[in-house]
Amino acid sequence: MPTYRLRVAWRERNGIVRSPVSDEGIDAPSLREAIAVALTRSQQILAADTNLAWIVDPDGHVAWTLRMDEGSAVAV
């Protein structure tokens, strides 16, 4: 089963992303299922001093992002 990586960090207004404060593996058969698992990990995603979460696929490519700005979350 592929392993995806859920990473969480702070994104500055100018677009610079700080080093991840969390980088956890998610074993899931598909990206869709990895996203579903990530969304159940609200403590990691909504950690203090973070506003960006993303999933990296097994090949090392960013496959999904969740940006929290001004109290609302936007999935891309």
Side-chain angles (χ1 to χ4, degrees), residues 46-66:
L46 301 174
D49 296 326
T50 64
N51 65 356
L52 177 67
W54 68 97
I55 291 178
V56 177
D57 70 16
D59 295 322
H61 304 285
V62 174
W64 176 84
T65 62
L66 178 68

Side-chain angles (χ1 to χ4, degrees), residues 5-76:
R5 305 296 307 174
L6 172 61
R7 296 181 177 152
V8 182
W10 178 260
R11 181 182 180 270
E12 302 286 346
R13 287 188 176 261
N14 62 6
I16 294 173
V17 177
R18 294 184 189 171
S19 296
V21 297
S22 178
D23 181 1
E24 297 188 14
I26 298 175
D27 293 327
S30 69
L31 175 60
R32 182 178 297 267
E33 291 188 37
I35 292 168
V37 170
L39 291 174
T40 67
R41 297 185 179 180
S42 60
Q43 283 194 326
Q44 288 89 349
I45 291 176
L46 301 174
D49 296 326
T50 64
N51 65 356
L52 177 67
W54 68 97
I55 291 178
V56 177
D57 70 16
D59 295 322
H61 304 285
V62 174
W64 176 84
T65 62
L66 178 68
R67 188 179 71 237
M68 287 75 69
D69 287 330
E70 300 176 11
S72 65
V74 178
V76 181

